[in-house]
Amino acid sequence: MKRIGLPLAALLTALSLTLTACGGVSEDDLAEELADNGGVSEAQADCIAEKVFDSDLNDDQIDALGSDAENLEDTDLSAEEQAELLEVFTTATTECITE
């Protein structure tokens, strides 16, 4: 299994800071930011974004990726929603990077 280069929490924080100008996050925006700033290839970034958007996350959870919050705890998401977002993102990243 390949090792993931960036800690996922740090990656989520970086994404939230770079996607803030969008006002809402699209699958293409997420893939582009992952490829540009996430240390993953374009194919891996596309895979991660697709899995995140195909998940059962609600719009608020997806939009949290583009919030200007320093971390997930600073969003309006409940602790349960934060945990679910981190789990989906972690699983997607792990699956897409190790394929």
Side-chain angles (χ1 to χ4, degrees), residues 3-68:
R3 186 171 177 187
I4 297 172
L6 290 174
L8 292 171
L11 182 56
L12 280 173
T13 300
L15 288 175
S16 69
L17 295 175
T18 57
L19 289 171
T20 54
C22 301
V25 180
S26 72
E27 186 174 330
D28 289 338
D29 292 334
L30 179 58
E32 183 177 334
E33 285 300 325
L34 285 167
D36 291 348
N37 301 309
V40 297
S41 71
E42 286 185 27
Q44 291 168 330
D46 289 340
C47 177
I48 295 166
E50 182 178 345
K51 287 182 183 291
V52 167
F53 275 80
D54 286 348
S55 71
D56 290 332
L57 295 176
N58 64 43
D59 290 341
D60 291 337
Q61 289 168 304
I62 297 289
D63 288 344
L65 292 172
S67 77
D68 58 359

Side-chain angles (χ1 to χ4, degrees), residues 8-9 12-13 57-58 60-62 64-65 67 69-91:
L8 292 171
L12 280 173
T13 300
L57 295 176
N58 64 43
D60 291 337
Q61 289 168 304
I62 297 289
L65 292 172
S67 77
E70 291 277 330
N71 54 56
L72 288 177
E73 290 81 20
D74 293 339
T75 66
D76 290 334
L77 299 177
S78 69
E80 183 178 312
E81 289 174 317
Q82 293 172 32
E84 183 181 15
L85 173 57
L86 188 56
E87 180 181 342
V88 166
F89 194 83
T90 300
T91 300

